[in-house]
Amino acid sequence: MTAASLVRRSLRAIRRSPVSTVAPTMAIVGAGAGYALVEGLAAGFGIGAPTDVPIGWDAYRRVLNAPSFWPSAALTVWVGVASTVLAVTGAALVSWWWVTAPGRLRRVDLMLVQVTVSLPHIAWAVALAAVASQSGFIARLATAVGAIDRPAQFPVLVGDHAGLGIIVGLATKEVGFVTLAVLPLATRRVRSALAAASTLGASPAQRFRWVHLPAIAPALAPAAAAVFAYSIGSYELPRTLGTNRPRTLAVAAFDAFRDADLTRRADAFAISTLLAAIALLAAVGAAAPFVARARARMGPT
Amino acid sequence: MTARAGVRSLWTIALGIPVAVLVLQAVSIRWLYPQVIPHEFTLHAAGRTLGAAATRTAFFDGTLVSSAVTTVALLLAVPASKGILGLQRRHRVLVALALFLPSLLPPIGLAMGVGVALLNFGADGTFIGLVTAHLVVALPYAVAALTAARARHDTRLEAQAASLGASPTQTLFHVTIPALRSGLAVAATLTFVVSWSQYLLTVLAGTGHVITPTMLLVNAASGGNPAATATMALAVSLPTAVVGIVVPVADRGALLGERAT
């Protein structure tokens, strides 16, 4: 066999195999995200930095020793956990009500979810600020009915130190995302399982816990991991609905990245690598029960 | 009232009131506390915001970038979705994991990493670089939508067309595309909207050379002109309306889990 025919043959084999059709997508998405992750890791240690900085743990030491770090980290984790729990609980309940209610889902229901999901985060943040700030729409309604006299009496929901505005903003957006992820699993088969459970005397709470949740869990867990990663790492919404003291870590990383002092870039990457580590740990945690169950199903080898 | 109608009403209110307040803010002036409804209505601020040269350029550039992202995404996702269904199970899991990776990473780190990656390849600040950066996050949506659509339709049709003597091009245009019509509509709208809404990737990978409407809105949000900000927020949300109409209509069965079997 000549070299030319060997090349021709392998090219034909590659063209026929499904791998060739998937490869360009994998190259952009998988390699792009993977490269970004590795690049961030390296840049945090000062490798390939735009300025002459020593390679080592300097950036991590600076970041972790900054007095603003721990309040920011606490706020970030709190925002991430609270938004994720609210979004996941909301989606589990909404999908439950939708599956159990008689009749078919209407187009308008899907429209509401789709619009919620595809609204740009910054647009939603601007809208929420107009509604929930101390001189916003709700405060005006409260004034009109005589509940408060002046804006200062209205609770601080936008730019508050506990990140409530950020949590509300993220949770209300992401509940749509999670609902969309779990809806395809809330199928007819689940409906008949729910009906069977009901015939056997299961209470609604029991049906929710033992039929509905396990049915949607395979989509709920990865969606929760994605919402958590998004919540701790998003920028526009926390910047608009949050405060500067403390900032979320993502906002701190953005500011460090854009700092005129280029040595701060390494700090930005140190922060973003810490965030990525937290997010990936959460993803592993979300996947663990499924991996364990799959192993158990396969039995002892 | 059934639970479903309750969810529907609550969701409509939660979504509708903030959007309605934005509309009021966009078409009013001096809408000060404690006015519940503005006293003075004007389209002046809205007109000035939308008519500004910077806004028009941003809308043109943003549309160009997101259209390019959508086109490339569809060109890659149509064959990729077919390939994925042809893979062995464990390979398919690996591909799914890789496609899900960008969603599992915090956006700030992803954007900074992609930005520096483009810098290393000398593609920072270029149109192609920006489109590639957006593809990292937008392409998975196109692939997911088309894989779901393909899984629902009978792939034997393509084999049948081929066995009847149709060329690959004929099969593509006369069998595959018509069968995947709704999947393509869903993939295209989702990809467009994901690209359109990107802020971090556009700022950090585009390095300020391309200004999109979403970037203008983030800047406006930190300024002090409520009418201009509200106008931009509504204008930036326009593609959302398209998704809200196209996806539920095209993809009803898929989202309801009522798969054709």
Side-chain angles (χ1 to χ4, degrees), chain B residues 168-190:
Chain B
T169 328
Q170 284 175 321
T171 311
L172 177 70
F173 283 103
H174 295 290
V175 180
T176 311
I177 290 180
L180 292 179
R181 220 171 28 220
S182 60
L184 284 167
V186 172
T189 42
L190 288 183

Side-chain angles (χ1 to χ4, degrees), chain A residues 18-19 21-22 24-26 28-30 32-37 39-40 43 48 93-94 97-116 118-124 126-128 130-131 134-137 139-141 143-144 148-151 172 175-177 179-180 183-188 191 222-223 225-227 229-236 240 249-250 253-254 257-258 265 268-269 272 275-276 279-280 283, chain B residues 2-4 7-9 11-12 14-15 17-19 21-22 24-25 31-37 72 76-77 79-84 86-87 94-96 98-121 132 135-137 139-141 143 190 193 196-200 203-204 207-208 214 217-218 221 229-230 233-234 236-237 239-241 243-245 247-249 251-259:
Chain A
V19 175
T21 56
V22 184
T25 297
M26 295 289 285
I28 293 178
V29 179
Y35 187 96
L37 195 64
E39 182 66 56
L93 288 173
V94 166
W97 284 319
W98 276 351
V99 173
T100 50
R104 288 173 70 105
L105 207 55
R106 286 212 216 132
R107 215 162 257 175
V108 59
D109 297 317
L110 294 179
M111 215 173 273
L112 287 170
V113 183
Q114 280 293 351
V115 167
T116 308
S118 43
L119 259 181
H121 278 84
I122 177 64
W124 185 235
V126 167
L128 281 186
V131 171
Q134 281 189 305
S135 59
F137 189 70
R140 293 166 194 222
L141 284 181
T143 313
I148 60 170
D149 296 323
R150 47 180 203 279
T172 44
V175 70
F177 174 79
T179 305
L180 222 47
L183 264 190
L185 295 183
T187 54
R188 257 186 233 146
R191 275 188 215 200
V227 169
Y230 191 88
S231 302
I232 63 172
S234 74
Y235 171 78
E236 311 97 282
T240 310
L249 285 179
F254 183 89
F257 189 82
R258 303 269 284 189
R265 280 217 166 173
F269 280 109
S272 77
L275 281 175
L280 290 177
Chain B
T2 66
R4 183 178 294 166
V7 172
R8 187 182 299 143
S9 320
W11 203 308
T12 310
L15 190 63
I17 288 182
V19 175
V21 170
L22 274 190
L24 286 178
Q25 207 165 52
W31 185 22
L32 302 171
Y33 178 90
Q35 300 169 18
V36 175
I37 299 294
V72 179
L76 291 173
S81 56
K82 185 177 183 182
I84 286 173
L87 289 173
L94 280 181
V95 171
L99 291 180
F100 201 50
L101 183 62
S103 309
L104 292 178
L105 293 177
I108 180 75
L110 186 69
M112 283 170 21
V114 169
V116 173
L118 291 179
L119 192 75
N120 292 349
F121 289 109
T132 313
L135 278 172
V136 175
V137 290
L139 189 49
Y141 287 87
V143 175
L190 288 183
V193 118
W196 181 263
S197 323
Q198 286 307 315
Y199 174 74
L200 286 173
V203 170
L204 301 181
T207 56
T214 306
L217 175 57
V218 174
T229 308
L234 291 169
V236 166
S237 306
T240 307
V243 174
I245 292 162
V247 176
V249 172
D251 209 28
R252 192 160 189 249
L255 287 173
L256 302 185
E258 318 247 329
R259 282 153 200 264

Side-chain angles (χ1 to χ4, degrees), chain A residues 34-194:
Chain A
Y35 187 96
L37 195 64
V38 173
E39 182 66 56
L41 193 65
F45 291 112
I47 301 167
T51 51
D52 203 17
V53 294
I55 290 172
W57 292 92
D58 284 7
Y60 285 92
R61 229 171 274 140
R62 266 199 306 276
V63 163
L64 293 174
N65 287 331
S68 61
F69 178 79
W70 292 106
S72 280
L75 174 72
T76 306
V77 172
W78 156 240
V79 162
V81 170
S83 316
T84 309
V85 167
L86 286 175
V88 164
T89 311
L93 288 173
V94 166
S95 58
W96 161 254
W97 284 319
W98 276 351
V99 173
T100 50
R104 288 173 70 105
L105 207 55
R106 286 212 216 132
R107 215 162 257 175
V108 59
D109 297 317
L110 294 179
M111 215 173 273
L112 287 170
V113 183
Q114 280 293 351
V115 167
T116 308
V117 174
S118 43
L119 259 181
H121 278 84
I122 177 64
W124 185 235
V126 167
L128 281 186
V131 171
S133 72
Q134 281 189 305
S135 59
F137 189 70
I138 298 175
R140 293 166 194 222
L141 284 181
T143 313
V145 299
I148 60 170
D149 296 323
R150 47 180 203 279
Q153 291 174 325
F154 192 74
V156 186
L157 296 174
V158 174
D160 60 308
H161 297 293
L164 294 180
I166 309 174
I167 292 167
V168 169
L170 285 170
T172 44
K173 271 278 296 162
E174 304 312 329
V175 70
F177 174 79
V178 185
T179 305
L180 222 47
V182 301
L183 264 190
L185 295 183
T187 54
R188 257 186 233 146
R189 233 181 63 209
V190 178
R191 275 188 215 200
S192 48
L194 286 170

Side-chain angles (χ1 to χ4, degrees), chain A residues 140, chain B residues 20-32 35-49 225-231 234:
Chain A
R140 293 166 194 222
Chain B
V21 170
L22 274 190
V23 173
L24 286 178
Q25 207 165 52
V27 300
S28 66
I29 190 167
R30 286 187 287 276
W31 185 22
L32 302 171
Q35 300 169 18
V36 175
I37 299 294
H39 294 170
E40 296 173 69
F41 286 94
T42 168
L43 286 172
H44 186 70
R48 207 173 42 194
T49 306
N225 187 341
T229 308
T231 306
L234 291 169

